[in-house]
Amino acid sequence: MSTKKDKFTLKDKFYMEIALDLARSRHGHTGSNPSVGCVIVKNDKIISIGQTSFNGRPHAEFNAIKNCYENLKGSKMYVTLEPCCHHGLTPPCTDSIIKSKISEVIYSVTDIDKRVRNKSNKILNSKKIIVKKGLLKNKIENFYYPYFFNRTKKLPFVTGKIAISKNNIIYSKIKKKITNSFSDKFTHLLRYQNDCIMITHKTLNKDNPKLNCRLKGMEKFSPKRIILDNKLNSKTNSYIIESSNNKNTLIFYNKADKSKIFKFKRKGIILIKSRINRNNRFDIKVILKKLYNFGCRNLLIEGGNDLTISLLKNRIFNKFYLFKSPKKLSKSVEYTKFSGLNTLNQKYKKRFNLNLNLRKDRITLYR
């Protein structure tokens, strides 16, 4: 039986670190289910690993057991989150653990799901399986913060990102490129880790972005594109509109004539009508609720100046990445300056400079 006095060895920590890495690699790709990592060890040797499948099923424990070609009797399982014990679309992981004759289960964090929370202990203990918990708890709780936020708030976990030049410009007609290739790769990693990405139609029309993940081998994990477009003024010859289908693109609008609505629907775009406030802006909280109901759990927002400042003021971002380049951009023609630095520093007190070897670019994470 698990107690607060459970002691763990360096080997225990090593195996749980591997389980955490497995969970991290699937973050943003397990649908409404949390991304879980699992490692099975016997005689101090890893005999199997598992992680939550894409879209959330089967679970990590089931996959680790299924992937093992050795006798599991007497083995030890390390799993980042409390194993499930309820019947859903798949059988409980506790059933698989019991049938496999695993003798000990070490999990890090107790599940927030009421159907599971602290129930797996009793079920496994009743079958004489040793259960311990709390290994790397603080580290792994931090990883599961987006999942806990999803479950408690019924909203997507929102990450913001903006890139600025040395003189705080986010757009210049003369030179559009702000950050270097190393920062670009980090941006694409963020896109990989989020199931949806949001911009406004102004950004779409000005930059004609692709919003996809272009890391080698990860291209098929690009996020769904979400466009805020009050009157459906997005350019229909843009990359986003031309490459849309009913699975990868949603546009929130408020008022548009029937011909425009028909034109966008014919492109395969999902249109969602949503209300606007007195300032002629969308109610972002309503949109977030609709996105959650649509299945979005991790939302990346790559907004322009106005959208970003509005969301900063209302503390919509759960975390925010500020990319800063050492380059200055020209103000001689058309340009846009980011005017939200003071708001960012006022609203988000915790900040961390990320040392990612970005060759002169700098990224600061705000929480």
Side-chain angles (χ1 to χ4, degrees), residues 230-231 254-255 275-283:
N230 185 359
K231 297 180 180 179
N254 176 255
K255 190 176 182 180
R275 68 172 182 248
I276 56 175
N277 58 27
R278 290 179 298 176
N279 298 318
N280 207 33
R281 294 180 182 274
F282 286 107
D283 187 329

Side-chain angles (χ1 to χ4, degrees), residues 28 37 61 135 145 172 189 199 206 245 267 273 285 341 346 358-359:
E61 301 93 322
L135 177 57
Y145 179 67
S172 173
L189 179 63
I199 61 170
K206 185 181 286 186
N245 59 56
K267 292 280 188 180
K273 193 169 185 178
K285 292 182 179 179
L341 285 176
Q346 289 168 6
L358 298 171
R359 307 282 175 90

Side-chain angles (χ1 to χ4, degrees), residues 35 44 194 248 344:
S35 180
D44 285 334
N194 287 269
N248 72 358
L344 180 59

Side-chain angles (χ1 to χ4, degrees), residues 158-162 170 197-204 226-229 281-285 287-288 299-317 320 336 338-340 343 348:
V158 182
T159 299
K161 173 254 171 184
I162 203 164
I170 61 174
I197 183 169
M198 178 188 287
I199 61 170
T200 66
H201 80 280
K202 291 180 182 178
T203 298
L204 183 146
I226 315 298
I227 315 298
L228 302 181
D229 187 358
R281 294 180 182 274
F282 286 107
D283 187 329
I284 194 67
K285 292 182 179 179
I287 284 178
L288 291 178
L299 174 65
L300 176 64
I301 298 181
E302 295 188 12
N305 187 64
D306 293 344
L307 177 63
T308 300
I309 290 175
S310 174
L311 300 185
L312 286 172
K313 286 180 177 177
N314 290 288
R315 281 196 61 88
I316 296 297
F317 296 115
F320 189 90
T336 303
F338 180 54
S339 54
T343 303
Y348 294 81

Side-chain angles (χ1 to χ4, degrees), residues 193-350:
Q193 292 174 336
N194 287 269
D195 49 57
C196 292
I197 183 169
M198 178 188 287
I199 61 170
T200 66
H201 80 280
K202 291 180 182 178
T203 298
L204 183 146
N205 290 343
K206 185 181 286 186
D207 296 342
N208 192 21
K210 292 184 177 179
L211 303 184
N212 55 3
C213 174
R214 296 193 286 278
L215 295 177
K216 189 174 181 180
M218 298 181 180
E219 296 88 348
K220 67 179 182 179
F221 299 110
S222 295
K224 290 183 177 67
R225 296 87 61 93
I226 315 298
I227 315 298
L228 302 181
D229 187 358
N230 185 359
K231 297 180 180 179
L232 294 184
N233 287 325
S234 296
K235 293 179 180 178
T236 55
N237 64 347
S238 63
Y239 176 86
I240 295 296
I241 304 304
E242 287 292 337
S243 62
S244 64
N245 59 56
N246 60 9
K247 292 183 179 179
N248 72 358
T249 309
L250 289 81
I251 295 182
F252 285 92
Y253 78 104
N254 176 255
K255 190 176 182 180
D257 60 53
K258 291 183 179 180
S259 62
K260 277 190 175 182
I261 293 172
F262 176 76
K263 186 185 295 184
F264 280 89
K265 284 186 175 180
R266 192 171 57 185
K267 292 280 188 180
I269 295 169
I270 297 173
L271 296 180
I272 302 176
K273 193 169 185 178
S274 192
R275 68 172 182 248
I276 56 175
N277 58 27
R278 290 179 298 176
N279 298 318
N280 207 33
R281 294 180 182 274
F282 286 107
D283 187 329
I284 194 67
K285 292 182 179 179
V286 171
I287 284 178
L288 291 178
K289 287 179 181 178
K290 289 182 177 181
L291 284 175
Y292 183 86
N293 293 333
F294 199 81
C296 174
R297 293 297 178 269
N298 296 279
L299 174 65
L300 176 64
I301 298 181
E302 295 188 12
N305 187 64
D306 293 344
L307 177 63
T308 300
I309 290 175
S310 174
L311 300 185
L312 286 172
K313 286 180 177 177
N314 290 288
R315 281 196 61 88
I316 296 297
F317 296 115
N318 297 101
K319 61 181 179 181
F320 189 90
Y321 291 94
L322 178 70
F323 290 59
K324 189 155 190 178
S325 166
K327 296 183 291 189
K328 283 189 176 182
L329 295 187
S330 173
K331 296 182 181 180
S332 59
V333 192
E334 182 182 343
Y335 72 95
T336 303
K337 190 171 184 178
F338 180 54
S339 54
L341 285 176
N342 288 338
T343 303
L344 180 59
N345 290 322
Q346 289 168 6
K347 295 290 184 178
Y348 294 81
K349 302 295 185 183
K350 292 183 179 180

Side-chain angles (χ1 to χ4, degrees), residues 28-234:
H29 297 281
T30 57
S32 59
N33 287 337
S35 180
V36 175
C38 181
V39 173
I40 302 177
V41 176
K42 188 173 183 179
N43 299 325
D44 285 334
K45 184 181 81 170
I46 295 176
I47 59 173
S48 188
I49 61 173
Q51 55 195 150
T52 308
S53 299
F54 292 112
N55 298 318
R57 298 178 186 86
H59 294 180
E61 301 93 322
F62 176 89
N63 286 332
I65 292 168
K66 182 182 177 182
N67 294 339
C68 189
Y69 294 99
E70 296 191 31
N71 187 347
L72 286 165
K73 187 175 181 180
S75 64
K76 187 184 295 188
M77 174 181 280
Y78 296 82
V79 61
T80 52
L81 190 67
E82 181 179 5
C84 74
C85 58
H86 65 283
H87 285 271
L89 295 177
T90 55
C93 288
T94 48
D95 284 3
S96 298
I97 294 169
I98 292 165
K99 289 177 183 176
S100 69
K101 306 295 184 183
I102 289 171
S103 63
E104 185 174 345
V105 173
I106 298 176
Y107 67 85
S108 178
V109 177
T110 301
D111 199 341
I112 198 171
D113 192 325
K114 293 179 181 179
R115 298 170 297 176
V116 179
R117 188 174 181 83
N118 288 319
K119 294 177 182 177
S120 298
N121 268 9
K122 296 177 182 178
I123 292 170
L124 296 174
N125 285 159
S126 69
K127 300 297 181 180
K128 310 300 182 186
I129 296 172
I130 298 170
V131 179
K132 296 178 182 178
K133 62 180 180 178
L135 177 57
L136 302 183
K137 182 181 178 183
N138 291 339
K139 191 173 188 177
I140 295 180
E141 273 188 341
N142 185 58
F143 168 73
Y144 281 118
Y145 179 67
Y147 165 65
F148 295 153
F149 181 85
N150 291 157
R151 286 297 172 103
T152 55
K153 303 295 185 181
K154 306 299 181 187
L155 292 170
F157 185 87
V158 182
T159 299
K161 173 254 171 184
I162 203 164
I164 63 175
S165 65
K166 187 176 182 179
N167 51 340
N168 298 337
I169 291 175
I170 61 174
Y171 170 81
S172 173
K173 194 170 185 178
I174 292 179
K175 188 174 183 180
K176 295 184 179 181
K177 187 69 175 170
I178 297 176
T179 51
N180 63 29
S181 60
F182 299 94
S183 292
D184 288 347
K185 288 179 180 178
F186 188 76
T187 294
H188 289 290
L189 179 63
L190 289 177
R191 291 177 181 179
Y192 168 80
Q193 292 174 336
N194 287 269
D195 49 57
C196 292
I197 183 169
M198 178 188 287
I199 61 170
T200 66
H201 80 280
K202 291 180 182 178
T203 298
L204 183 146
N205 290 343
K206 185 181 286 186
D207 296 342
N208 192 21
K210 292 184 177 179
L211 303 184
N212 55 3
C213 174
R214 296 193 286 278
L215 295 177
K216 189 174 181 180
M218 298 181 180
E219 296 88 348
K220 67 179 182 179
F221 299 110
S222 295
K224 290 183 177 67
R225 296 87 61 93
I226 315 298
I227 315 298
L228 302 181
D229 187 358
N230 185 359
K231 297 180 180 179
L232 294 184
N233 287 325
S234 296

